[in-house]
Amino acid sequence: MRSRSRHSWVGSAGALLFVLGASACGDTAPSTLHPEGPGAHRIAGLWWFMFWVSALVVAVVTALILIGVLPGRRRRATHDRATPRWAGRLVVLGGVVVPVVVLAVLWALTLSDMSALSLPRRSIALKVQVVGHQWWWEIRYPQQGIITANDIHIPVGLPVEVELTTDDVIHSFWVPQLTGKTDLISGRTNRMWIQADRAGVYRGQCAEYCGLQHANMIFYVVADPPDRFREWMTREGQGAATPTETGALRGQEVFLSSACVGCHTIRGTDARGKVGPDLTHIGSRISIGAGTFSNTPSNLAIWITDSQSVKPGNLMPPIPLSPADLEAVVAYLEGLK
Ligand code: CUA
């Protein structure tokens, strides 16, 4: 009884810290306690049920301990050592029957939620393939021939199937506000589904340690209203537009004659590298370096010049360019909307 109460206290203190920590992070931090999709709603519902059951168990055990250590009762116990008849029954009830019932109920609810999370209630509206790389996410829309990176656009309110594979080590795909995490495992394809009930941007994170830059393996699920999603899909399906502005045009020339083309593809040009992210529409993406920075011209310039200083260990080498060429390449890439 004593050791059980200690564990319950540790559990409740942990839960309290978690709740305080989650609420202190503010609206932008992804939290499973702010669900925005049917999968995350089920997980949050189960979490709160477990929390209140645990809180009740802690309260009851604490009350029993307090009753047991009250000075008046201890004095009486030293005078009368006979164990009352109900004491044995209390141990069996509180130590065996109640825990078995509580754990069986939680197990059954967990199984029911796991089953619900494995398949959506409605038919799949869209298929997206996600390939994990150290340390970025390749995003493919096989039916539309779209390849992008780190931003996953989906139509709001509809279930989207996500097919997960990895190019190297194990990663884990997790958008806390939409659903639970699923691993990307070498040699196999895992499937899961996501759905956002409200239009918005939901931050996702690799949730399996995968090397030096595991923490900087971030992605964004962008849930668009139907017409904006169709617009995005049409634009994304096209190749890169040839720049009209002189600086950007010069940037395209520099890009296509540099080492960049060995690793990156820009559809509609001779850049056909497959090592790094497809840059066809990089100007419209939220971040650079899989969530390392926001996508601004100055951050992109730092990234091109020396990405190792800001995301050590990534595969991109420093690209030595004159200040004028750098400015032109940045103008070209940021113009690829
Ligand atoms: Cu990929 Cu951690």
Side-chain angles (χ1 to χ4, degrees):
M1 207 53 150
R2 201 177 296 153
S3 92
R4 202 172 133 233
S5 76
R6 193 185 302 140
H7 287 135
S8 301
W9 274 112
V10 171
S12 77
L16 189 63
L17 285 174
F18 178 75
V19 172
L20 291 176
S23 55
C25 287
D27 288 342
T28 52
S31 167
T32 49
L33 300 182
H34 298 133
E36 293 289 356
H41 270 290
R42 285 200 84 108
I43 294 169
L46 181 63
W47 190 90
W48 281 112
F49 182 75
M50 284 180 169
F51 175 80
W52 290 117
V53 168
S54 309
L56 183 68
V57 169
V58 170
V60 169
V61 171
T62 308
L64 290 175
I65 290 171
L66 289 176
I67 292 167
V69 298
L70 277 179
R73 289 195 63 86
R74 211 188 300 160
R75 254 199 316 277
R76 237 177 295 149
T78 48
H79 293 301
D80 178 13
R81 289 198 172 272
T83 309
R85 207 178 297 159
W86 51 264
R89 283 190 210 135
L90 182 69
V91 168
V92 173
L93 187 73
V96 181
V97 179
V98 172
V100 165
V101 170
V102 168
L103 291 176
V105 168
L106 293 179
W107 180 63
L109 288 173
T110 304
L111 287 184
S112 147
D113 278 356
M114 280 171 74
S115 153
L117 289 174
S118 67
L119 282 174
R121 285 210 185 134
R122 300 158 67 186
S123 59
I124 289 291
L126 178 75
K127 280 186 190 190
V128 180
Q129 294 172 333
V130 174
V131 185
H133 296 268
Q134 282 175 313
W135 295 276
W136 60 282
W137 306 85
E138 182 179 337
I139 317 296
R140 293 168 169 265
Y141 295 73
Q143 289 148 332
Q144 293 75 20
I146 293 171
I147 301 175
T148 180
N150 307 321
D151 290 1
I152 307 174
H153 283 251
I154 61 169
V156 72
L158 294 172
V160 174
E161 185 180 88
V162 184
E163 208 177 87
L164 300 164
T165 54
T166 175
D167 186 44
D168 36 59
V169 299
I170 298 176
H171 304 274
S172 190
F173 182 92
W174 190 30
V175 196
Q177 286 183 277
L178 299 186
T179 194
K181 59 186 88 161
T182 305
D183 282 2
L184 293 76
I185 296 168
S186 174
R188 63 172 287 160
T189 302
N190 281 344
R191 284 184 180 79
M192 47 113 61
W193 63 282
I194 52 172
Q195 180 180 323
D197 291 335
R198 209 161 50 93
V201 178
Y202 302 98
R203 188 183 144 127
Q205 170 71 47
C206 179
E208 177 75 39
Y209 181 72
C210 55
L212 191 60
Q213 294 297 337
H214 155 70
N216 284 324
M217 192 167 167
I218 294 153
F219 61 99
Y220 296 93
V221 173
V222 184
D224 290 324
D227 39 338
R228 206 186 305 160
F229 179 71
R230 270 194 300 273
E231 213 175 276
W232 175 85
M233 196 120 82
T234 310
R235 203 179 54 233
E236 202 74 16
Q238 293 163 353
T242 307
T244 48
E245 197 255 319
T246 332
L249 204 56
R250 165 85 190 124
Q252 186 185 42
E253 272 172 41
V254 175
F255 185 93
L256 293 176
S257 58
S258 73
C260 307
V261 296
C263 293
H264 295 285
T265 290
I266 295 181
R267 279 175 278 134
T269 74
D270 289 336
R272 295 199 181 95
K274 298 283 181 212
V275 180
D278 183 302
L279 302 179
T280 309
H281 296 284
I282 186 183
S284 65
R285 289 185 202 150
I286 295 170
S287 72
I288 296 167
T292 308
F293 287 131
S294 54
N295 187 0
T296 65
S298 54
N299 287 342
L300 185 56
I302 295 169
W303 184 263
I304 294 169
T305 320
D306 188 9
S307 70
Q308 296 301 323
S309 66
V310 286
K311 191 171 178 178
N314 87 83
L315 288 182
M316 174 136 159
I319 308 291
L321 292 173
S322 70
D325 283 353
L326 180 63
E327 198 182 320
V329 167
V330 169
Y332 169 55
L333 293 175
E334 288 292 357
L336 297 177
K337 299 289 185 189

